[in-house]
Amino acid sequence: MTDRERFLAALTRPVTLQSGATVTIRAWGLDHIEQHTSDFFAFLRLFVQGVRGAAIEEQPALLGLLGRVARSSLADPADADLLTVADIPTVAQAVYDLNGLDNVAGKLIGLLTRAQQAVSDALPANPSTSPS
């Protein structure tokens, strides 16, 4: 196996579906993220914030998001026919893990926190609370 083949293999992961069939999930490349930016950030936000205890049926857009992320992460788009609703949590977790989103989420939260602090520090003190 060449270095390139080893690298590409590290960017994919087999996932066994409820039916027993196995599909291959691939990591999202930069071009893929650019094409699916809103889904990428919504998926990341979902894992960072959690579903907040609400069932998926109470958030229909959530199921649509997870389905789009699962389908767009398949190495072979024809495998989308094999996916069922029951497979979505397993595939979503594989996508999250394969893309290292726990690390991405932590770094993005850190950047956002620092940016918010910088904005807060740059704002003048609230005039209604300043002594006159």
Side-chain angles (χ1 to χ4, degrees):
M1 182 180 271
T2 68
D3 287 342
R4 179 173 169 75
E5 290 170 332
R6 272 191 289 279
F7 175 74
L8 292 174
L11 297 177
T12 62
R13 175 172 296 165
V15 175
T16 303
L17 306 177
Q18 294 284 324
S19 66
T22 300
V23 297
T24 300
I25 301 297
R26 61 176 165 72
W28 287 31
L30 185 57
D31 286 344
H32 192 79
I33 291 171
E34 285 182 78
Q35 292 170 7
H36 304 279
T37 302
S38 62
D39 280 348
F40 174 79
F41 282 107
F43 184 67
L44 185 59
R45 190 176 324 108
L46 170 68
F47 276 89
V48 171
Q49 296 176 345
V51 182
R52 299 193 186 276
I56 286 180
E57 62 270 10
E58 295 172 15
Q59 297 184 24
L62 179 61
L63 187 56
L65 168 68
L66 293 174
R68 287 190 308 276
V69 167
R71 277 191 310 281
S72 69
S73 299
L74 293 169
D76 182 355
D79 286 344
D81 293 340
L82 302 173
L83 293 177
T84 66
V85 172
D87 298 316
I88 301 256
T90 304
V91 173
Q93 186 64 53
V95 170
Y96 184 84
D97 294 342
L98 185 59
N99 285 287
L101 294 182
D102 54 342
N103 188 32
V104 171
K107 288 183 179 181
L108 284 175
I109 289 170
L111 285 171
L112 289 172
T113 301
R114 286 194 299 271
Q116 287 174 335
Q117 186 61 49
V119 168
S120 177
D121 291 348
L123 292 175
N126 187 344
S128 64
T129 60
S130 297
S132 27

